[in-house]
Amino acid sequence: MNLATMQSVYQALQNGLQIPVSRSWPQTPPALPGCTFHLGSWTRQPDGSARVSFKVLLRTELQEQGDIYTAQAVPAMLALGFVLESAEDSFESETGVFVRDLSFMGLEAAPLKPPDASPDFHAAVYGGGEWHSLPEPASFTLKPATRGLIAPQTPGFDAAMLPYFSLERIKPASLVINAPFQTDLRALDYLRLAFRIGNEITLRVSYRLPESPQTLLGVLTAFHASALGIYLEIAIRNL
């Protein structure tokens, strides 16, 4: 939660309501009728986003004024992505003031940078006679090569011993790369074309030392590139 968010909430309420607006607990007594607001809660979610709530208090002389100003506050906050979650009426017996307590809830988007991204990894794809780097930071996940077991067809064997198995053909290892999206990325042109027509790609990967890369050959089995990010899965040909 930052100053820009608090200022945007203040501006939205000020433009939407026909009464004075201020932060809660001002140095001077709040206006009557008037509106005060403050941050109710900010909670980080497992996916990196945040659940944010704001408290908006409407102080009025007449109870029905709370209904009128609520109808103005709801669309003002909705324009910022905050929906009305709860509302409650109360009465200050010492001042004779009616108070409408509104709670608005919204979600703050997760950061675009993948939480497990590492600046230590570098990758580039070969195309048109030169290497084209993938955006950074990127996260790399390796799925190892596997080969399954085929159980014997002959019934009956010593239960105390593992039976003899045949082996399936080797399933190649896969390298999964997640990276932030860039619109003017030459590497994407070669990757998108290779995925569409099934061509093999040449990938250069290095860890910490870009001058000591490893070259991999493989076929793209999954490809995505949009504002959500870049996702590549490459079946590696050279074990």
Side-chain angles (χ1 to χ4, degrees):
M1 185 55 55
N2 52 39
L3 179 61
T5 303
M6 302 302 291
Q7 289 177 333
S8 64
V9 171
Y10 170 77
Q11 196 66 44
L13 291 172
Q14 188 180 53
N15 293 336
L17 295 171
Q18 300 174 357
I19 53 177
V21 177
S22 66
R23 294 280 292 267
S24 294
W25 312 292
Q27 294 178 347
T28 57
L32 183 69
C35 169
T36 61
F37 74 96
H38 63 271
L39 178 66
S41 64
W42 187 96
T43 308
R44 176 70 71 188
Q45 304 298 301
D47 63 354
S49 64
R51 186 182 188 276
V52 186
S53 70
F54 277 96
K55 292 286 189 178
V56 176
L57 304 178
L58 304 172
R59 305 178 79 254
T60 62
E61 298 170 307
L62 302 175
Q63 196 167 16
E64 55 267 26
Q65 288 178 307
D67 302 326
I68 296 173
Y69 298 134
T70 295
Q72 297 173 359
V74 169
M77 292 295 288
L78 186 60
L80 298 179
F82 295 96
V83 298
L84 181 63
E85 187 175 37
S86 64
E88 182 181 357
D89 278 331
S90 61
F91 177 73
E92 296 179 354
S93 57
E94 64 277 10
T95 62
V97 172
F98 293 97
V99 180
R100 173 66 59 84
D101 186 346
L102 306 176
S103 180
F104 293 89
M105 190 277 291
L107 290 177
E108 186 178 276
L112 293 178
K113 176 184 175 181
D116 57 347
S118 171
D120 293 330
F121 283 102
H122 310 277
V125 62
Y126 188 78
E130 56 183 317
W131 293 97
H132 305 278
S133 297
L134 291 176
E136 300 173 0
S139 63
F140 289 66
T141 304
L142 181 65
K143 298 179 180 179
T146 60
R147 61 186 313 177
L149 300 176
I150 302 175
Q153 300 296 322
T154 55
F157 57 87
D158 189 347
M161 297 182 62
L162 190 68
Y164 290 99
F165 290 93
S166 300
L167 294 174
E168 294 180 346
R169 299 186 63 178
I170 294 177
K171 296 179 181 178
S174 292
L175 179 65
V176 177
I177 301 177
N178 285 278
F181 180 68
Q182 292 183 12
T183 55
D184 56 346
L185 196 64
R186 290 291 306 277
L188 281 184
D189 296 334
Y190 293 102
L191 292 170
R192 186 178 288 108
L193 179 62
F195 181 71
R196 183 177 297 128
I197 63 180
N199 277 1
E200 190 173 76
I201 65 170
T202 303
L203 191 71
R204 188 171 65 186
V205 179
S206 60
Y207 176 69
R208 291 189 177 177
L209 299 176
E211 64 273 13
S212 302
Q214 180 178 359
T215 301
L216 304 174
L217 304 176
V219 177
L220 277 171
T221 57
F223 174 85
H224 176 80
S226 73
L228 298 174
I230 298 172
Y231 178 94
L232 309 172
E233 184 164 351
I234 306 158
I236 302 173
R237 184 175 297 280
N238 48 332
L239 292 175

